[in-house]
Amino acid sequence: VKDIGALNEKNGPDRIVNGIKIQTKYHKTPARTMNDAFEAKTGLFRYSNQQLEVPKDQYTACVKLMKKKIQDGKVPGASNPEHAEVLIRQGTVTYKQARNIARPGNIDSLKFDAKTQAVSSSYMFAISFAIEYAHAKWQGCPTNEAVERSIKSAISTGSATFITGVITSQVLRTKTAAIGTIAMRNFVKSLRKSIVGKYAINKLAYGSLGKPVYGNAAVNHLSKVFRSNAITGTVTTLVVSAPDFYRAALKNNISWPQFTKNIIVNATCAGSGIGGAMSGAAVGSAFGPPG
């Protein structure tokens, strides 16, 4: 999947799946869903060479509406009404499920985030296992002991990644996150006032998106990136510090000063990781196209 919708190209696809350009429309009724895919003045189909993805529960109705549009000559390049089944793509969720996914604190959005983060966590599990196994073997550990250490490390890293990802995704859907975007936008705009700041913002946006963007497009994108990273860093710090809190509050294995020290270290690590990733993308894009 190529997620190119963030580029906001006029009448451009929202994503490309296995080479197929897809435009997604989810409205309350099939009529509204279909009407949004046609020009208001001319009535012509807006998305040439693209499939129109519609809610799962609206698919049949949308196909019928598309057949009528083809018969009326509103779809350039299409004359056979049966071609509507090729132009219309059935979504994987209903309109109601899509609305729930976009909101925090419900079963549909939690299931969606769990499925998404399961993919990320599986990669982290494998990477952590490989690194820990190599370290153990280099230290002369027997294979059985190395495998045991690697599994423990992988489970710890994978579960932390999963929990952090789900919580972060839920928080990003809240009004607090929206307010955070506004605050970050003001911050980015203040940076943009200087020549150096303007250059840095353009390069950061370039490194993040993979394509050059300027002006308000760069500001808006980086505002969301900074907001997301701030939330991710906070959630990550809380999740990885939870075991220390348990030891300090309930088991009394560590002192509160030690807990404070640990949480500062965790926050510093999370912030440094995010800062390093962003600065690395900016520096890299200064020398050529990302990738």
Side-chain angles (χ1 to χ4, degrees):
V1 176
K2 293 183 179 179
D3 183 13
I4 63 173
L7 298 177
N8 292 321
E9 178 185 350
K10 185 178 181 180
N11 294 335
D14 291 318
R15 68 187 191 281
I16 302 175
V17 181
N18 296 327
I20 300 174
K21 296 179 180 179
I22 299 173
Q23 176 66 220
T24 303
K25 296 293 182 187
Y26 276 63
H27 287 273
K28 191 172 183 179
T29 65
R32 291 183 181 180
T33 296
M34 290 299 297
N35 287 339
D36 197 28
F38 290 81
E39 294 286 354
K41 293 182 179 179
T42 64
L44 296 177
F45 187 57
R46 296 165 55 192
Y47 306 107
S48 60
N49 300 318
Q50 298 180 45
Q51 277 191 332
L52 184 66
E53 180 185 320
V54 300
K56 187 176 182 179
D57 55 330
Q58 296 182 12
Y59 175 73
T60 301
C62 286
V63 168
K64 290 181 180 179
L65 290 171
M66 181 62 83
K67 287 181 178 180
K68 182 66 167 57
K69 293 286 188 181
I70 294 175
Q71 289 175 343
D72 294 341
K74 299 298 184 180
V75 183
S79 57
N80 184 359
E82 298 304 318
H83 190 61
E85 295 184 3
V86 177
L87 291 174
I88 302 294
R89 183 187 187 98
Q90 186 176 32
T92 58
V93 295
T94 65
Y95 173 75
K96 182 179 179 180
Q97 287 174 324
R99 283 173 58 90
N100 287 340
I101 288 172
R103 295 170 174 173
N106 63 79
I107 297 298
D108 287 322
S109 67
L110 287 170
K111 284 173 61 178
F112 178 85
D113 290 340
K115 289 179 179 179
T116 303
Q117 297 307 321
V119 177
S120 303
S121 300
S122 65
Y123 283 101
M124 294 305 297
F125 183 96
I127 293 170
S128 180
F129 182 94
I131 293 174
E132 185 61 31
Y133 182 81
H135 282 175
K137 293 302 291 181
W138 291 334
Q139 293 170 3
C141 293
T143 299
N144 290 344
E145 183 180 337
V147 170
E148 183 179 349
R149 280 177 51 177
S150 301
I151 291 176
K152 289 181 179 179
S153 175
I155 291 175
S156 175
T157 304
S159 59
T161 301
F162 179 83
I163 294 170
T164 299
V166 171
I167 295 175
T168 299
S169 297
Q170 290 290 308
V171 173
L172 285 172
R173 295 183 177 93
T174 63
K175 292 183 179 180
T176 301
I179 295 172
T181 303
I182 297 173
M184 287 298 179
R185 186 178 291 115
N186 293 334
F187 171 69
V188 174
K189 283 182 177 179
S190 65
L191 291 178
R192 195 165 171 263
K193 292 179 180 179
S194 67
I195 296 177
V196 175
K198 186 175 182 180
Y199 177 80
I201 288 170
N202 290 338
K203 289 303 178 183
L204 278 170
Y206 185 17
S208 174
L209 277 175
K211 289 189 177 183
V213 288
Y214 307 98
N216 289 332
V219 170
N220 291 334
H221 174 69
L222 280 186
S223 299
K224 294 179 180 179
V225 170
F226 287 159
R227 173 216 59 187
S228 299
N229 284 341
I231 292 174
T232 301
T234 301
V235 173
T236 300
T237 301
L238 294 175
V239 169
V240 299
S241 299
D244 286 336
F245 179 81
Y246 172 76
R247 296 187 188 102
L250 299 177
K251 298 201 73 175
N252 296 319
N253 283 355
I254 62 173
S255 64
W256 285 108
Q258 182 64 47
F259 168 76
T260 303
K261 178 182 176 181
N262 291 352
I263 199 170
I264 291 174
V265 170
N266 291 335
T268 303
C269 289
S272 299
I274 292 170
M278 293 193 66
S279 59
V283 172
S285 64
F287 292 94

